[in-house]
Amino acid sequence: MKIWANSGDSHYMEPKDLYDALPPELAARMPRSVKSADGTTETIYVDGKSFERPLPRIGIVKGKNGRTLSEALRAPGDRDFEVRRSDLDHEGIWAEVIYPSVGLWNSMITDPVLAREAVKVINDWCASVQQESIRHVMPAQISPLDVGDGVAEVQRAAGLGLKAVGLPSGTPPGIPDFNRPYWEPLWDAMDETGMVIAVHTGNTGEDPVHFHGPGAGPMNYVWASYPGMTMAGFMVASGVLDRHPNLKLLISEAGASWVPFLGDRLNEAYRQHSEFVKDRLSRLPKEILFDQVYASFQHDESAIPALTAMGYRNVVWGSDYPHLEGTFGHTQKTLHELFDDQPDDVRYRITQGSFLDLFPHVGSPPREGLE
Ligand code: MN
């Protein structure tokens, strides 16, 4: 039996001509990746800043046919949405939230003019992709540098038909944090337009290589999850989500079992240390978190018990297509391993139902059940 799933965590590869509509001096400052001569590292350049990060060995070592393993494992539809849809049909994925790839580093931009103008070009392209198929949910980007620019672009993007806004998990230095009243007009605009807030792990605006030395590899991946959790906590504790009960926040690629943990911690602070809690909420923090925050995972064993054992219903599965750490090539195997021992209602909730809370317009896959 084929299990059909929606993905709360997928990516597009930016088309090479994406920034052609920008003036050249702006386009030149958009994120780009340059591989080192020996292929072991890449340097990302963004708006006058750069950082270097290691590349996986499977992108370096060549097999007998002269191709690297990463080239051999590459998803055929990673740059072509028509081919992508046939990849998705084969893998059993119906609709996807499709984040940028190198464009996740757009949050490192510190020039307000560049941030404001670039997102218009990106969002126009996102809207054109979404018009090809309702299966492609393309989060709009906005400038996190100026609330007026952000509000204007939310409204423009909603007019283009986009259904979500991708935000970094924090604002750049010198810009008010998202829990500050400065951003209230942005939340109002998203609430009024029905936009889902979509945050991809690692989209922090900072150099992702946080740790060095032994153990740094896995711990940098783990560390990338923390800012998204912090943002979710602040959106609850500051009252933003309480004041906007229809606003929904999706945190992608950070797993799901942290949500019950965070809810317990917030509740304990709110009740047991209430004399220190100035910001009053109409509901307990965990209730707001469980109601309005969604979390996507790919392989995590503890994500399903977050629902079945800890009562957190907004667990969303994600494929991370077409990234190599995702499930492309083994999506059905992964889904069967995760769900074969689960009741149908649990499988349905995580593979489709939670996603449909966020994006009901995508509907159901045409062929549920047997292939
Ligand atoms: Mn991802």
Side-chain angles (χ1 to χ4, degrees), residues 68-254:
T68 63
L69 190 54
S70 62
E71 283 164 348
L73 295 173
R74 192 182 74 82
D78 64 354
R79 289 185 182 275
D80 179 326
F81 279 83
E82 197 178 332
V83 182
R84 182 184 188 109
R85 290 190 288 277
S86 81
D87 281 352
L88 299 185
D89 287 342
H90 183 258
E91 296 287 305
I93 297 165
W94 175 240
E96 307 169 291
V97 177
I98 312 181
Y99 290 96
S101 289
V102 74
L104 286 174
W105 311 119
N106 290 349
S107 50
M108 292 181 82
I109 294 170
T110 51
D111 172 7
V113 174
L114 179 60
R116 183 187 68 218
E117 296 306 314
V119 295
K120 291 179 191 167
V121 169
I122 294 166
N123 294 341
D124 286 346
W125 175 75
C126 285
S128 74
V129 170
Q130 199 172 277
Q131 274 160 11
E132 282 184 35
S133 169
I134 53 163
R135 299 169 72 176
H136 308 319
V137 178
M138 309 287 284
Q141 294 186 39
I142 63 158
S143 168
L145 303 176
D146 181 277
V147 70
D149 289 344
V151 167
E153 191 59 21
V154 165
Q155 288 162 345
R156 203 183 71 88
L160 293 171
L162 300 178
K163 306 289 188 191
V165 174
L167 286 184
S169 50
T171 56
I175 306 295
D177 289 328
F178 283 134
N179 62 319
R180 298 286 181 178
Y182 174 81
W183 291 105
E184 197 68 8
L186 183 73
W187 314 130
D188 290 343
M190 290 195 197
D191 194 2
E192 282 157 20
T193 53
M195 289 287 203
V196 171
I197 307 169
V199 175
H200 191 278
T201 190
N203 186 3
T204 63
E206 290 172 38
D207 184 337
V209 185
H210 190 72
F211 301 116
H212 299 270
M219 281 309 294
N220 278 321
Y221 188 74
V222 174
W223 180 82
S225 306
Y226 297 153
M229 300 176 192
T230 303
M231 182 184 187
F234 264 122
M235 294 292 278
V236 172
S238 66
V240 168
L241 295 182
D242 196 28
R243 288 192 297 277
H244 302 91
N246 295 320
L247 201 54
K248 292 182 169 68
L249 170 64
L250 169 66
I251 307 283
S252 296
E253 211 186 305

Side-chain angles (χ1 to χ4, degrees), residues 205-340:
E206 290 172 38
D207 184 337
V209 185
H210 190 72
F211 301 116
H212 299 270
M219 281 309 294
N220 278 321
Y221 188 74
V222 174
W223 180 82
S225 306
Y226 297 153
M229 300 176 192
T230 303
M231 182 184 187
F234 264 122
M235 294 292 278
V236 172
S238 66
V240 168
L241 295 182
D242 196 28
R243 288 192 297 277
H244 302 91
N246 295 320
L247 201 54
K248 292 182 169 68
L249 170 64
L250 169 66
I251 307 283
S252 296
E253 211 186 305
S257 50
W258 58 270
V259 181
F261 159 81
L262 180 62
D264 289 342
R265 296 280 77 207
L266 288 170
N267 269 11
E268 179 150 291
Y270 197 77
R271 286 187 309 220
Q272 263 60 35
H273 301 273
S274 60
E275 67 272 27
F276 301 112
V277 178
K278 284 184 291 191
D279 305 289
R280 306 312 297 179
L281 304 170
S282 72
R283 296 166 283 166
L284 278 172
K286 188 173 176 179
E287 205 179 315
I288 299 168
L289 190 71
F290 272 31
D291 187 32
Q292 290 171 257
V293 175
Y294 291 69
S296 91
F297 76 104
Q298 300 103 280
H299 300 100
D300 294 18
E301 291 168 6
S302 64
I304 295 172
L307 188 159
T308 56
M310 292 184 268
Y312 173 54
R313 288 185 50 75
N314 295 343
V315 180
V316 179
W317 183 77
S319 70
D320 215 23
Y321 177 97
H323 288 177
L324 288 175
E325 66 269 36
T327 66
F328 178 73
H330 61 271
T331 301
Q332 285 302 307
K333 181 169 179 285
T334 299
L335 290 171
H336 277 283
E337 284 168 3
L338 286 167
F339 295 109
D340 276 356

